[in-house]
Every structure is written in structure tokens, then in C-alpha cells.
Amino acid sequence: MSMSGRLTTHVLDTALGKPANGLRIDLFLIEGGSYRLLRTVETNSDGRVDGPMLEGDAFAAGTYELLFHAGDYLRAIGAVLAEPAFLDLIPLRFGIADADSHYHVPLLLSPFSYSTYRGS
């Protein structure tokens, strides 16, 4: 287990050109095909989570998934979405190989597209 690595995220609404406030994010650990919910958070007014999603002894090598509740966020801000919405739940599955590193996994979001990258 690590004492220095951490996982962080943020969400930017690229259609509005501002941080996505109030977007729910679930974090899962995936082991042997099973999902274990580790935490559920909501983005703040800066589109960020208040503190790391994982850090310290809880931050370990493995396969994880961030599940972004984009549809709920978009509906809450008044976006007109088809039913079913083109984007509703956005799962980002990624691996952590180095438990001593910082993994930053942001989401850039609009009603019809998203992108991500490993940031710093």
C-alpha cells in the first residue's frame, strides 16, 4: 500500500465553458469481474471533488471505474435531452499501476461528447 499516491478528478462542461457543479461521481474497484463501490461524491462549484477520491493506504494498484452521472447533471442545468439521452452514465475504466503516483482523471463533457486524459 502507498502513502503518497492519490486519485483526483474534475469535470468541465465544455458546452457552457465552465466547471460542472453538482455532478455525481461513483468510484468502483473492479476485482475478478466484481464491482465494489468505494465512494460517491458530487462536484463542487469549481467542478472538482473536495479532496482526493483515493489516497494513502486506500490507494492501491488495480482496476478502477469512475461512473459520471452526466444525464442527471445535464437535465438539472436545463439541457434539453432526447429520451433516452445520448449520454447518460459515462463509465471511465482505468488502471493504476504505480501506487506512489498521482492519477488525475478529468472529464470534459457536453450533451453529445466527452473526452478524458491522464492529467497531473
Side-chain angles (χ1 to χ4, degrees), residues 7 11 13 15 22-23 25 43 52 60 62 77 83:
L7 171 65
V11 183
D13 184 328
L23 192 144
I25 306 168
T43 57
I77 65 164
E83 289 300 330

Side-chain angles (χ1 to χ4, degrees), residues 19-120:
N21 181 20
L23 192 144
R24 178 180 158 188
I25 306 168
D26 300 321
L27 173 64
F28 296 91
L29 173 63
I30 303 171
E31 294 178 303
S34 295
Y35 288 67
R36 181 166 47 107
L37 179 64
L38 300 178
R39 140 166 233 222
T40 297
V41 297
E42 190 172 287
T43 57
N44 61 25
S45 63
D46 196 32
R48 298 185 181 277
V49 174
D50 295 328
M53 295 288 290
L54 282 178
E55 66 181 330
D57 288 340
F59 187 77
T63 302
Y64 295 84
E65 186 170 291
L66 288 168
L67 183 63
F68 295 87
H69 293 255
D72 291 344
Y73 161 78
L74 291 166
R75 287 180 195 92
I77 65 164
V80 178
L81 305 177
E83 289 300 330
F86 180 70
L87 294 176
D88 192 11
L89 298 173
I90 300 174
L92 295 181
R93 184 178 294 188
F94 58 96
I96 293 175
D98 180 3
D100 290 321
S101 292
H102 179 196
Y103 285 73
H104 183 67
V105 183
L107 183 73
L108 307 177
L109 171 68
S110 82
F112 298 101
S113 69
Y114 69 91
S115 64
T116 190
Y117 55 91
R118 181 177 172 191
S120 59

